[in-house]
């Protein structure tokens, strides 16, 4: 889908730090997390609450009170009369949220919309389903976070299966996969001083006052020797626990408005124009391939080619994802993910794409502008992509 009059103020695309599951955000509902960080993100730019007339909220892991979605989040942000949809599309949730918000602006239904996503994989819910016809009427159970990782009901295969399939079919070696992993960690470490521009701290309530989380938690030091020493998750595979992501907790968001209003809201610091959004599916159980057709869908909608793109960010639960994208497009691996990626800092599902979008906007703004593409896989064989252009 192509957009002609939608933009994000550069200063109004943000993310919380991401924390490895069972870390400092493990006891904080993602609803409370979204409110805490979003309020701080909006306050630091002085955006008046009355400016926002709709909220699109993305989340994939049920939380206490999350049934009410935007209708409970908006009043806590001072948006007493505002409503909007709650959206879930697995790891493409961020792209779906951005598209939903952008459509409202493009059609003129709302001038300024908040796109927000949050998830907590820590302490994920265990669902109990009634099963009266089972022996003894014993209920069926589903672990909302863990079970989908192990089994795609469409194929009966796991997320790991999808990466191993693509690696085997493309002939990727363990050394190539480890090299991409190491590069992403090096990029992340090199960008430490720049992350403060788009990361907004979290205040976690505690018995002795708030605990402030102002950087990612659970990122491990990574070296070539350390990666080489890891055993594959499967004896005959090439993916290790080092070359795949880990579950996490976090939130991220963006304010979308018309191009002219976005410029006014940003005080002249620049805007990120939304050019297009694309979604796609690929072959069954071949998830690392899906970001490519999603990216091509967005590029085609905008009338552009990958050669017109300056920076790419990705959601890559496996290093295989980036290796495939780079080989198929010719886009250099070191021009992708200049701030690191979810392979390094973790994967809270719903907000992962919005964090990558915040990093894309920050990277383009730092280089003086240009076009950028975010693309990331989701749930077995799907993906979503967002194409933006940052200008003064």
């Amino acid at each position: 889908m192509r957009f002609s009059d939608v933009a994000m103020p550069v200063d109004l695309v943000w993310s919380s730090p991401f924390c490895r599951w069972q870390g400092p955000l493990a006891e904080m509902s993602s609803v409370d997390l979204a409110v805490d960080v979003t309020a701080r993100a909006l306050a630091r730019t002085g955006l008046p609450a009355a400016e926002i007339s709709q909220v699109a909220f993305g989340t994939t892991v049920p939380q206490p009170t999350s049934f009410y979605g935007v209708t409970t989040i908006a009043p806590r942000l001072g948006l007493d009369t505002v409503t909007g949809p709650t959206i879930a599309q697995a790891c493409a949730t961020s792209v779906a949220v951005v598209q939903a918000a952008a459509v409202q602006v493009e059609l003129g239904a709302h001038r300024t919309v908040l796109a927000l996503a949050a998830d907590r994989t820590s302490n994920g819910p265990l669902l109990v389903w009634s099963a009266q016809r089972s022996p003894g009427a014993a209920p069926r159970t589903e672990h909302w976070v863990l079970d989908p990782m192990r089994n795609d009901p469409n194929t009966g295969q796991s997320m790991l299966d999808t990466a191993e399939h693509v690696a085997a079919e493309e002939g990727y070696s363990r050394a190539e996969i480890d090299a991409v992993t190491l590069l992403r960690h090096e990029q992340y470490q090199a960008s430490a001083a720049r992350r403060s521009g788009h990361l907004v701290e979290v205040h976690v309530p505690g018995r002795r006052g708030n605990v402030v989380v102002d950087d990612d938690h659970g990122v491990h030091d990574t070296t070539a020797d350390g990666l080489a020493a890891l055993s594959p998750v499967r004896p005959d595979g090439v993916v290790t626990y080092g070359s795949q992501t880990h579950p996490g907790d976090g939130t991220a968001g963006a304010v979308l408005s018309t191009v002219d209003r976005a410029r006014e809201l940003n005080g002249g610091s620049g805007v990120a124009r939304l050019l297009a959004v694309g979604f796609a599916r690929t072959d069954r159980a071949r998830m690392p391939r899906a970001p490519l057709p999603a990216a091509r869908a967005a590029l085609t909608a905008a009338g552009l080619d990958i050669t017109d793109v300056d920076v790419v960010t990705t959601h890559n639960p496996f290093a295989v994802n980036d290796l495939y994208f780079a080989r198929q497009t010719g886009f250099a691996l070191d021009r992708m993910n200049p701030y690191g990626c979810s392979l390094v800092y973790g994967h809270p599902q719903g907000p992962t794409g919005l964090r990558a979008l915040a990093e894309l906007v920050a990277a383009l703004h730092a280089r003086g502008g240009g076009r950028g593409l975010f693309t990331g896989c989701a749930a077995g064989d799907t993906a979503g992509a967002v194409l933006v252009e940052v200008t003064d």
Side-chain angles (χ1 to χ4, degrees), residues 4 11 20 27 31 44 86 133 161 163 166 199 203 211 233 241 246 260 272 274 297-298 306 316 342 355:
S4 61
D11 292 341
R20 187 179 290 267
E27 300 296 330
V31 172
R44 71 179 186 175
T86 299
R133 296 183 181 180
D161 287 331
V166 173
L199 287 189
H203 290 191
V211 175
V233 179
Y241 285 113
H246 54 269
D260 287 344
L274 182 65
I306 193 66
N316 45 2
S342 56
R355 170 158 179 174

Side-chain angles (χ1 to χ4, degrees), residues 7-76:
M8 298 167 284
V10 167
D11 292 341
L12 283 168
V13 190
W14 68 87
S15 174
S16 73
F18 281 5
C19 296
R20 187 179 290 267
W21 68 334
Q22 306 311 128
L25 300 182
E27 300 296 330
M28 189 175 190
S29 162
S30 60
V31 172
D32 295 339
L33 175 63
V35 171
D36 178 79
V37 172
T38 303
R40 198 167 292 107
L42 298 179
R44 71 179 186 175
T45 63
L47 180 72
E51 179 73 30
I52 297 169
S53 58
Q54 192 184 53
V55 178
F57 178 57
T59 187
T60 73
V61 182
Q63 302 284 283
T65 76
S66 64
F67 174 87
Y68 286 89
V70 172
T71 60
T72 188
I73 291 173
R76 295 174 63 185

Side-chain angles (χ1 to χ4, degrees), residues 54-112:
Q54 192 184 53
V55 178
F57 178 57
T59 187
T60 73
V61 182
Q63 302 284 283
T65 76
S66 64
F67 174 87
Y68 286 89
V70 172
T71 60
T72 188
I73 291 173
R76 295 174 63 185
L77 294 171
L79 308 173
D80 292 340
T81 62
V82 172
T83 186
T86 299
I87 297 169
Q89 194 171 343
C91 311
T93 294
S94 282
V95 179
V97 167
V98 168
Q99 178 175 264
V103 166
Q104 296 298 316
V105 176
E106 184 79 5
L107 295 179
H110 294 273
R111 185 172 69 163
T112 304

Side-chain angles (χ1 to χ4, degrees), residues 276-302:
V277 169
F279 290 92
R281 296 190 74 166
T282 189
D283 298 332
R284 287 156 60 98
R286 300 299 187 274
M287 187 172 69
R289 289 182 176 154
L292 179 60
R296 286 175 171 164
L299 288 164
T300 298

